[in-house]
Amino acid sequence: MLNNIQYISHGNTPQEQLYHIEAVLAAGQTWIQYRFKETTSTTRWTTAERVKLLCEQYRATLIINDCIDLAKAIEADGVHLGLTDRSIAEAKQLLPNKIIGGTANTFKDIQQRYQEGCTYIGLGPYRHTNTKKKLSPLLGLEGYQQLMTQMKEHQITIPVVAIGGITLEDILPLKAIGLHGVAISGLLQNSTNKTQLIQQLNALFQ
């Protein structure tokens, strides 16, 4: 089952990654996308093993960003791949019956992801975010509306998750145009009442 609220981890050190991930898990978050790019491969892998234990402890879904081999090695629930990462076909072969998410920014990307057989699409960015470098062109609500309309016209049915600087006020407008959910990082990480925020976010998607 795909969660409506997906947390993308952020942190410059293993300690920061683990601190933020455990904090959101303890507050009730049940979907973690582990994203730790600015580090060595060894550090990324050893930290991932600890993240896996945390997700097992809290019975949360664990998705690995970009790295198919890491997802396979620690038996994560799936992987999320960017447009320049390894192919969806390769991920499906190495991770049978797992969740395979794919990034998209344009309608052409959406068509590609749909044809590749992704489980869901992470579509964005909605607005500017400081948690990711090298952003694709911003979409905004109007951009999402146009893309969702094009999907209906072409009978493309696949869950779409919005990503990029999402705020609480964005949830209902995004849900209204057909978005399955949102992927967030800073919104949840910087919240002083994470439990309340997670409850609010989930309630808005009910």
Side-chain angles (χ1 to χ4, degrees):
M1 180 179 170
L2 288 176
N3 294 43
N4 300 113
I5 312 301
Q6 303 181 3
Y7 169 69
I8 301 177
S9 75
H10 183 65
N12 298 318
T13 65
Q15 292 78 12
E16 286 181 7
Q17 285 275 341
L18 292 164
Y19 174 81
H20 291 309
I21 289 169
E22 184 159 20
V24 301
L25 287 169
Q29 178 60 20
T30 55
W31 178 293
I32 303 293
Q33 184 187 135
Y34 171 66
R35 185 177 189 273
F36 194 8
K37 287 183 174 287
E38 306 296 323
T39 189
T40 64
S41 180
T42 301
T43 301
R44 186 181 302 111
W45 279 58
T46 54
T47 307
E49 289 169 351
R50 295 176 67 183
V51 173
K52 173 76 187 311
L53 292 175
L54 283 172
C55 287
E56 287 178 345
Q57 179 186 337
Y58 287 94
R59 298 181 180 179
T61 299
L62 174 60
I63 304 297
I64 303 297
N65 183 272
D66 291 355
C67 190
I68 299 171
D69 294 336
L70 176 53
K72 182 177 175 65
I74 67 170
E75 298 182 349
D77 297 294
V79 68
H80 184 94
L81 298 172
L83 289 159
T84 58
D85 296 327
R86 289 163 70 181
S87 71
I88 300 295
E90 195 174 0
K92 292 173 79 171
Q93 184 178 5
L94 291 170
L95 301 169
N97 305 313
K98 297 286 188 177
I99 298 165
I100 312 291
T103 297
N105 175 251
T106 66
F107 184 63
K108 185 179 178 182
D109 297 339
I110 291 171
Q111 288 178 304
Q112 175 189 326
R113 291 316 201 187
Y114 180 66
Q115 289 162 2
E116 289 169 336
C118 281
T119 313
Y120 73 93
I121 289 173
L123 181 63
Y126 184 75
R127 65 165 61 87
H128 180 75
T129 172
N130 291 320
T131 56
K132 186 174 182 180
K133 297 175 182 176
K134 298 180 183 176
L135 284 176
S136 298
L138 303 182
L139 294 172
L141 187 62
E142 189 176 327
Y144 277 86
Q145 285 175 317
Q146 290 173 353
L147 291 170
M148 297 301 287
T149 299
Q150 285 178 284
M151 285 178 67
K152 286 179 184 176
E153 289 171 350
H154 288 78
Q155 297 182 320
I156 295 175
T157 53
I158 183 171
V160 177
V161 175
I163 181 170
I166 307 290
T167 69
L168 195 61
E169 292 73 28
D170 298 321
I171 304 301
L172 287 179
L174 287 168
K175 182 188 175 187
I177 59 173
L179 273 291
H180 174 82
V182 295
I184 56 175
S185 184
L187 175 66
L188 182 54
Q189 204 162 282
N190 300 327
S191 171
T192 55
N193 193 333
K194 292 175 175 54
T195 302
Q196 183 183 57
L197 177 59
I198 290 166
Q199 290 171 349
Q200 285 178 300
L201 289 166
N202 283 310
L204 288 168
F205 270 106
Q206 298 308 313

